[in-house]
Amino acid sequence: MTNGISGFRNIFFIGIAGVGMSAVAQYMRGIGANVSGSDRYFKKDEYNKTREQLEEEGILCFEQDGSGITDTTDLVVVSTAIEDTVPEVRKARDLGIQIIKRSELLALIAKSRKTIAVAGTSGKSTTAAMIYQIFADAGLSPGIISGAGLTSIIREGRIGNAAVGSGEWLIIEADESDGSVVLYEPEIGLLLNVDRDHQEIDELMDLFTVFKNNCKSLFIVNQSNTLAKQLSDSAVNDFGFENEEAGCNARNFRQEGLKLFFTIEDQNFEMNALGQHSVENAAAAVAVALKAGISLDQCAAGLSGYEGIYRRHQILGEKQGVWVIDDYAHNPAKCAASIRACQPLAHKVIAWFQPHGYGPTKFLRKDFVDEISCALRPQDEIWMSEIFYAGGTAVKDISAGDLIDDLAAKGSNAHFVANRNDLLPALRPRLQPGTVLLLMGARDPGLEEFTNKLFKDL
């Protein structure tokens, strides 16, 4: 592999519509590379919003039929979901073109900038966006490669998950789900939390230990997370929630409607967001910013203008006294935190969740049941529809209905509607004024259309 990103001029991305792939593709286009790509969701004579946005950035898009790769292509980038049988992979090998994973290219990009890498099993995209907002408002013009679109960038008509910036700092997410967190060697490493998600705890701790050892200057962890705390270098560098050991400690938290209030040291913070977990993420962002020389009052000013990210407690609106909120929550801790964050808004929360992947759902079955049942109040409800299946060779030996049965056995008000298109008719009699309807799920590209249509039809 080349020692730097400048060695590649004509790059082709297979699976470019994915949020992680599109972010790296846009970044490479932004620094002057010729970028093109294909995706199985690109069909002839069929509109695709992501394709349109990529092409507006000067990125050529093709159907996944091999036609986009030529003998001028000098690098092919694949996501973890791309199999060897995909036409572009076969063609690239026939032509002798180098093939690397997205995470490998991101690691090369990170080496070209002064990088902040955000790791943890929950909150990476949100915290990266908060850091970006603080740095941008402080005049540092950072770059970002994110796993979610930032509302402030989406408003420009872009996908919103990447920006090059003219400053020295680059903010990235270091993903543990595919083990790629070990590839990054950032200036500053941030560990938000460690909870059972894609791997067992021992595996996660091993990965995050390597990540810690790879950090060049500073490693910051959450003193309020039991497992993350075990990897702390110095509590004075760390952050926490109502944790006196942490150098950056968020205190005096209160939520009033859609606003959060808290203090760090003697500085008051006010932010448009929901839930204690948002305050923890904000404290993490502040801890990083302080180490980069940004003042507390600049941090407060930046977070006061934070606009959020796509599908992270995104408020779709209110109809007939019912607030509808869309969230990317997809693991047990995230689902529980999302439910709790909505509870101060209404007497009753009706939460709907679509699990993704048969393997992950089976692996986390007990965790989902334990976390969600503990988060629900007696008046709250949990609904699920069948597991999202992205294709492949997965063994379908579990149903979302099994999780609902387990939740009902623990006393939760739990309901199963196999086809999500049947959800609204089933919910209508229960949607009384003063209710929050929380819609949770990830990975499924049809979720945005589904949630928006549900709100429209409410």
Side-chain angles (χ1 to χ4, degrees):
M1 185 186 296
T2 184
N3 291 324
I5 55 175
S6 60
F8 301 120
R9 300 308 305 160
N10 300 296
I11 308 173
F12 191 91
F13 288 78
I14 308 175
I16 198 170
V19 66
M21 292 285 277
S22 66
V24 178
Q26 289 170 90
Y27 184 90
M28 292 304 296
R29 179 61 188 149
I31 63 172
N34 298 315
V35 177
S36 56
S38 66
D39 201 277
R40 63 192 176 99
Y41 291 109
F42 297 164
K43 305 293 184 184
K44 187 178 180 181
D45 301 325
E46 187 176 301
Y47 174 75
N48 184 284
K49 182 179 179 182
T50 301
R51 179 175 187 166
E52 179 183 67
Q53 290 173 312
L54 288 170
E55 290 181 336
E56 286 176 355
E57 300 268 353
I59 297 171
L60 293 175
C61 294
F62 299 85
E63 294 178 53
Q64 205 167 81
D65 58 7
S67 62
I69 292 180
T70 70
D71 54 9
T72 64
T73 305
D74 53 23
L75 181 69
V76 169
V77 185
V78 298
S79 71
T80 53
I82 299 301
E83 299 175 337
D84 291 345
T85 54
V86 171
E88 281 90 344
V89 174
R90 296 202 305 265
K91 188 171 182 180
R93 286 183 172 155
D94 289 343
L95 293 172
I97 301 169
Q98 183 177 359
I99 302 173
I100 66 173
K101 293 181 179 178
R102 169 197 170 272
S103 55
E104 293 175 304
L105 179 55
L106 180 55
L108 288 176
I109 293 170
K111 287 180 180 178
S112 72
R113 299 278 291 271
K114 203 170 180 180
T115 298
I116 298 160
V118 183
T121 45
S122 299
K124 292 186 290 293
S125 297
T126 300
T127 305
M130 289 179 179
I131 296 170
Y132 177 83
Q133 184 75 50
I134 292 171
F135 278 54
D137 285 1
L140 299 183
S141 188
I144 187 168
I145 298 174
S146 175
L150 282 66
T151 302
S152 58
I153 303 177
I154 291 172
R155 280 194 288 100
E156 301 171 8
R158 302 170 61 198
I159 296 173
N161 53 356
V164 174
S166 60
E168 62 179 348
W169 288 103
L170 171 67
I171 304 149
I172 69 168
E173 295 179 37
D175 193 4
E176 81 292 338
S177 65
D178 60 359
S180 62
V181 66
V182 303
L183 298 177
Y184 309 112
E185 299 174 0
E187 193 75 22
I188 299 176
L190 177 63
L191 181 59
L192 301 173
N193 39 56
V194 183
D195 296 298
R196 193 168 181 261
D197 191 354
H198 300 277
Q199 297 102 333
E200 297 288 359
I201 293 298
D202 288 348
E203 296 175 77
L204 289 169
M205 293 297 283
D206 288 344
L207 290 171
F208 290 133
T209 298
V210 175
F211 173 63
K212 169 186 173 177
N213 294 336
N214 285 346
C215 295
K216 295 176 183 176
S217 298
L218 191 64
F219 187 64
I220 299 170
V221 308
N222 185 356
Q223 283 284 323
S224 297
N225 181 270
T226 303
L227 292 169
K229 180 179 179 179
Q230 293 176 20
L231 296 179
S232 173
D233 275 336
S234 171
V236 72
N237 293 330
D238 296 337
F239 70 97
F241 179 87
E242 295 289 356
N243 189 306
E244 296 300 329
E245 294 180 46
C248 186
N249 179 31
R251 299 179 297 113
N252 305 315
F253 161 61
R254 73 181 193 278
Q255 179 173 326
E256 295 180 4
L258 304 176
K259 278 191 175 291
L260 302 179
F261 301 87
F262 59 98
T263 60
I264 295 176
E265 295 181 17
D266 294 325
Q267 178 68 51
N268 292 323
F269 285 78
E270 179 180 323
M271 187 169 62
N272 294 313
L274 297 175
Q276 175 185 318
H277 65 290
S278 295
V279 176
E280 285 194 31
N281 292 337
V286 171
V288 170
L290 292 175
K291 296 302 180 183
I294 299 173
S295 65
L296 264 177
D297 61 328
Q298 286 177 305
C299 292
L303 289 177
S304 69
Y306 173 66
E307 297 182 59
I309 57 177
Y310 168 71
R311 292 204 65 232
R312 267 60 169 189
H313 274 124
Q314 185 175 6
I315 298 167
L316 299 183
E318 180 265 342
K319 281 188 178 179
Q320 301 173 22
V322 176
W323 284 96
V324 182
I325 295 176
D326 186 18
D327 192 49
Y328 192 75
H330 60 280
N331 71 22
K334 289 176 183 174
C335 289
S338 191
I339 292 168
R340 289 191 175 100
C342 292
Q343 288 168 340
L345 299 179
H347 171 70
K348 182 176 184 177
V349 174
I350 296 178
W352 171 84
F353 176 51
Q354 177 185 272
H356 72 82
Y358 288 89
T361 303
K362 185 176 182 179
F363 178 66
L364 294 169
R365 176 175 178 171
K366 183 178 185 300
D367 304 77
F368 272 123
V369 172
D370 290 346
E371 292 273 9
I372 291 174
S373 63
C374 286
L376 295 170
R377 300 170 298 184
Q379 67 269 34
D380 295 334
E381 299 178 13
I382 178 68
W383 292 65
M384 290 188 194
S385 294
E386 196 51 276
I387 297 164
F388 170 65
Y389 173 56
T393 57
V395 178
K396 300 179 182 180
D397 56 354
I398 189 171
S399 165
D402 296 328
L403 276 65
I404 288 297
D405 290 343
D406 293 349
L407 283 158
K410 290 178 77 74
S412 298
N413 196 343
H415 308 269
F416 179 60
V417 175
N419 187 334
R420 69 188 186 192
N421 293 325
D422 299 327
L423 177 66
L424 186 55
L427 285 181
R428 268 208 178 93
R430 316 171 87 91
L431 294 174
Q432 305 301 320
T435 299
V436 165
L437 175 58
L438 171 64
L439 306 170
M440 301 183 292
R443 307 287 192 265
D444 180 354
L447 274 171
E448 178 183 13
E449 181 181 354
F450 167 71
T451 57
N452 287 332
K453 185 177 186 305
L454 186 146
F455 176 67
K456 179 183 177 182
D457 294 344
L458 194 62

